Structure formats: structure tokens, C-alpha cells
Amino acid sequence: MKTRTGFADVLVGMQYGDEGKAKIVDRIAGDYDIVARFNGGANAGHTVQTPQGQARLAQIPSGVFHPGLSLYIGSGCVVNLTKLADEIASLRDAGARIDGRLYVNERCAVIQPMHLDFDARHGAGIGTTGNGIGPCYADLALRWHRGMRSVVQVRDLVADDAGAFEQMLRYAAQFDDAPAARAATADRVARMRAAWRTLRETIVVTDALWLTHRVKAGARVLFEGAQSVMLDVAGGEQPYVTSSHTAPAFAFVGGDLSNRYHRKTIGVAKAIVSRVGEGPFPTEFGGERSARYCADAALRGTGWREERDRFDAASMLASEDDFDMGIALRMLTGEYGTGSGRPRRLGYLDLAALASAVERHAVDELYLNKCDCLSWFAKTHAGEIPVLGIALSEGGRSVPAIRRFTAFEALPRNVHRPEDLPGALQALLQAVEQATSCRIAGIGLGPGRNQLLTLSEGDGAHDA
């Protein structure tokens, strides 16, 4: 019986998303009792490499493959019933036991059919995933429209699911009452009803202090952020942001726990940066050409198969054209959307932006993924690893400046200690720590659970 009060750590992405947060959560989850989501919905594509193979997660916390952990979806999240039911079924097929472990807060908003329709019609301009996340959050804030509640929460389904689904039908009809639209909405609601029947076994949390009671009894919580801090709905570059608060401080609002239990904040970044959708990206290989190409590819449905068939990665990697090099690096490093498969825009590490995010959000330690992928720069025309840093101008002002590090060949087969890393990579990691004033707890040397090398010891650290 635990007698000590527990704590909560918060893990967030530090760039534009897809930093490999799920890999870190999966690796360190054994040090916790609960892994909890506090924002976002089915737009959070997380990939975990397991002994059973690759698993793609969207709404389920990434600690699902640790059988002793409880999994919690906090009130700051929005839920797609159909996708959640499908995700649970696929995880069961992959050998993960869900029954009795998944808890969903009753105040989570439910994605309605009209949210999906609205996103499909209007989300392309900013590159949304089309999952209806933004419209759902908007209706949560709107609260009331033309004499009707604009939001349905999980607790409404528990109290009267027939009435809640009827409300969805009537609400959608306010925006498009054409016969074809009504039929499409009715079909989606029918699938949602079927999903809800399978989700009834999920434990719906009705006690606002449920997580507090667990922590006071000694539970250790890891909050897992969706998307990343540079895409925060208020703190990012509007309108090219996600629809929820991604900052670690919001974990204690959307995760339903007092911030008095906060212990530390863990940031996850990657050595080659990517971005999905529209928005500013200062270090993008190929600049505007790349942004336009990726936007067109998303509209056409072009993915990794089409790029594999069309391009020769080896020759393009050695090109003097950064646009060609960016395509090659994407192909060689597998930078495609987890759920959508669309090409991600690629760029080099921005130390100035990373340092700013660390300071703004009081990050205590960093994990840097995809360090193994830096070896591809040895085959580029310049043979160097570019990093955007900060230099002082003649007037004493801080200005962006590109630093170039010597590229290294593929990593040794067995890397067990920091000393085993190539000297060039060690120099780059030291530069990251100096620029951010934050220790690097570990680095990713591949996609697998065990391809994580601990660099410095701290609470919850693991040896590779």
C-alpha cells in the first residue's frame, strides 16, 4: 500500500510535432502508474515499435503496451467514438490488453458528423488532418447555437445516448438540410451508435477528483502531450496551429489535476525537424518550393509510395539543390504522416527556436530523437550538418546564423555509452545543451524501443 504522495511529470514536443514523443513515453512509462492525455484527439498520430510490430496510436495514451499502467483521457481531449473503437480493436489484435485500464473523463467533447464535414470543407487552407478537431473545440466554446446545445459530451451519452445522437442529427441539419447531407450524417451517426455500444465497457470517470485521489495515494502520472508547443492554439503562429493548448502548463487543466503535484517537464525534439501542413518554417529544405510541393502532395494524395517510384533518393541526396536534398532525406528517414501518409516538410535543427521553447515552458530535460538520421548528411554535397543557431552582430544584437558540424558516417552497431558516439555527434549534442541550457537526458538512435541511449541520469532515466 503506497503512503507517499505521488507526482505528475509532463512530456511535450518542442517543435512542430512528430518528434517521436510516443517512443519516449513507451520507453519511460515503466516508471509511472498512469499515462494520461490532456489535449487533442484523433489528430495525434503516434507510432510505437513493439515486440509485436508497429502500432499506430491516436487517442489512446502511448503507455498501452505496459500492462500494469492505467490509461487516462482527460477532459481537455475531444473523442471520435468510431476511431476510438477501431483503435481499441486494433490494439487488442496487436496483443495489448485494454479492458479495465482505459479511463475517459465524462466531460470530453465528442466529435460530431458536422465537425467532420466542416473540417473537410474548410480545413485544407491550413493543412488540418480533417478529423473535425477544430470545429469540435469551437462548438465547445460556442456552447449554444440557434436554440440548441452545440456540444455533446461523453456524459451526455451515458445519461441518454439516444437523445445525444438525435441532437447530433438535428444540429447537423442546421447547417445542411439537403437529402444527401442528411443521409450522410445518418450513416455516420449509425456508425457512432455501433462504436458506442462497444465503448460502454470503457470506464467513464465522473469524479472531478479521480486523478487527485490516485496521486494522493501515491500514483505517479505521466502526462503525454499531443502535437507540440510551437503549435499551441494561442502561443503558435495563428492560424497555422492546432486547435488546443499544447503547452505543458495546460496538462493540469486538460488533465484534471492540480499543478501542485507537478515534478518536472520533459521535452522531446528531433535532430531533423519536420512540419505537416501550412505555416512558417524558417529552416525548411527548399523553402517555399518545398512548402508548395508538400501542400500539393497532400491534396493529390501523394505519399511515400509515389515518391519511392518517382525519385532516386541516393542521387537526389547529393544534389546541390536543397529542395532535392529535402525530398531525399524525407524518403530515407521515413518522414510521412502516421495517419495520412502525406509527406512532411523537412528542415534542419533550429537551436534558437528550441532554446526559446525550453525557456518559455521551463523544460527540465530533453530527449533528441533521430540522431542516427544525421549520418545521411555525410552523403550530401556539402558533407556537413547545418544547424540554425544565434550569433551576435557588430551592433551586439542576436541574429540567426547557420552553424555547420562535420557529418559522420553510420553509427557503430553497438552503442552503449555516450563515449561510443562519433565525436562530431558529441560536439553537436554539446552545442544543443549549451544553446538551450538544458540537459539532454537521452537520444534516439533508431525507431525501436531499445534504440534510446541515456546521456545523463535523472529521475525516470533508463539505460539503453
Side-chain angles (χ1 to χ4, degrees):
M1 189 81 181
K2 295 179 180 177
T3 56
R4 289 181 55 191
T5 299
F7 56 80
D9 294 341
V10 186
L11 182 144
V12 292
M14 301 302 294
Q15 294 155 329
Y16 301 105
D18 307 308
E19 299 94 345
K21 297 180 289 294
K23 172 185 174 177
I24 305 302
V25 172
D26 178 62
R27 179 64 189 275
I28 68 176
D31 289 327
Y32 299 89
D33 303 295
I34 301 169
V35 177
R37 285 278 306 277
F38 63 86
N39 75 308
N43 58 339
H46 293 168
T47 302
V48 176
Q49 299 288 341
T50 76
Q52 292 79 24
Q54 187 182 87
R56 293 180 175 180
L57 305 171
Q59 299 171 97
I60 303 290
S62 300
V64 64
F65 289 99
H66 293 260
L69 287 179
S70 295
L71 311 169
Y72 181 65
I73 299 177
S75 65
C77 299
V78 294
V79 175
N80 184 314
L81 300 178
T82 306
K83 289 197 170 187
L84 181 58
D86 290 344
E87 188 175 350
I88 290 173
S90 66
L91 286 170
R92 283 174 177 154
D93 292 341
R97 184 180 62 82
I98 305 293
D99 300 345
R101 300 175 56 205
L102 180 61
Y103 298 80
V104 178
N105 190 283
E106 66 168 351
R107 295 182 183 272
C108 289
V110 177
I111 303 286
Q112 300 180 52
M114 70 83 52
H115 299 145
L116 298 168
D117 293 338
F118 189 93
D119 209 3
R121 293 173 184 173
H122 304 288
I126 55 174
T128 73
T129 59
N131 280 289
I133 309 297
C136 184
Y137 277 118
D139 272 343
L140 180 64
L142 184 62
R143 296 159 289 165
W144 192 259
H145 183 75
R146 295 181 184 175
M148 182 186 305
R149 275 187 71 199
S150 57
V151 65
V152 171
Q153 294 174 293
V154 171
R155 61 178 179 162
D156 298 317
L157 293 169
V158 173
D160 178 13
D161 56 359
F165 288 123
E166 179 61 29
Q167 177 183 327
M168 294 183 196
L169 290 168
R170 290 188 288 111
Y171 189 54
Q174 290 187 358
F175 298 89
D176 192 345
D177 199 28
R182 291 178 70 94
T185 299
D187 178 65
R188 277 182 169 152
V189 168
R191 283 183 277 134
M192 292 174 68
R193 290 180 190 270
W196 177 243
R197 285 194 291 270
T198 68
L199 291 172
R200 281 186 174 278
E201 64 192 57
T202 301
I203 303 171
V204 176
V205 174
T206 60
D207 181 3
L209 295 176
W210 178 82
L211 197 54
T212 301
H213 294 322
R214 296 285 299 267
V215 172
K216 291 179 81 170
R220 302 159 297 173
V221 178
L222 177 62
F223 283 118
E224 173 189 22
Q227 292 80 46
S228 296
V229 296
M230 292 180 70
L231 297 179
D232 185 273
V233 66
E237 293 293 331
Q238 278 277 356
Y240 306 109
V241 294
T242 193
S243 350
S244 60
H245 286 290
T246 60
F250 188 73
F252 297 92
V253 178
D256 314 304
L257 182 68
S258 167
N259 60 7
R260 74 169 61 183
Y261 300 108
H262 176 67
R263 185 181 67 152
K264 68 179 178 180
T265 299
I266 304 166
V268 183
K270 60 184 176 183
I272 301 178
V273 187
S274 70
R275 178 163 195 167
V276 170
E278 303 291 332
F281 191 178
T283 65
E284 184 170 8
F285 295 115
E288 286 299 320
R289 285 177 63 199
S290 172
R292 289 194 303 270
Y293 169 86
C294 290
D296 291 343
L299 290 174
R300 295 194 309 268
T302 300
W304 67 269
R305 290 183 180 86
E306 290 77 11
E307 291 200 331
R308 178 198 60 191
D309 294 340
R310 180 181 174 188
F311 301 120
D312 175 35
S315 62
M316 293 180 74
L317 186 63
S319 171
E320 295 184 46
D321 188 336
D322 279 356
F323 173 73
D324 290 344
M325 186 178 70
I327 291 177
L329 285 170
R330 175 168 55 248
M331 296 172 66
L332 294 166
T333 60
E335 286 288 353
Y336 299 88
T338 299
S340 64
R342 58 183 172 174
R344 294 170 180 159
R345 301 158 60 191
L346 280 197
Y348 48 94
L349 183 61
D350 188 336
L351 278 183
L354 183 59
S356 176
V358 166
E359 177 69 18
R360 180 176 181 181
H361 300 291
V363 174
D364 296 293
E365 61 188 37
L366 282 171
Y367 285 87
L368 189 65
N369 277 323
K370 289 214 162 183
C371 288
D372 55 310
C373 295
L374 292 174
S375 64
W376 289 114
F377 282 98
K379 301 182 183 300
T380 62
H381 172 74
E384 297 175 319
I385 303 170
V387 171
L388 185 62
I390 288 291
L392 293 179
S393 68
E394 292 183 2
R397 293 183 303 172
S398 296
V399 294
I402 295 179
R403 297 180 60 182
R404 300 187 183 277
F405 292 82
T406 304
F408 55 89
E409 298 293 338
L411 295 171
R413 284 181 175 270
N414 297 310
V415 178
H416 299 293
R417 303 171 304 164
E419 295 79 13
D420 298 331
L421 297 171
L425 178 54
Q426 292 186 45
L428 191 152
L429 296 174
Q430 289 172 3
V432 173
E433 288 193 324
Q434 290 171 359
T436 61
S437 300
C438 185
R439 71 184 183 92
I440 298 178
I443 61 173
L445 301 177
R449 175 186 284 185
N450 294 321
Q451 292 177 294
L452 183 70
L453 177 67
T454 296
L455 296 189
S456 58
E457 295 296 335
D459 294 323
H462 287 256
D463 289 325

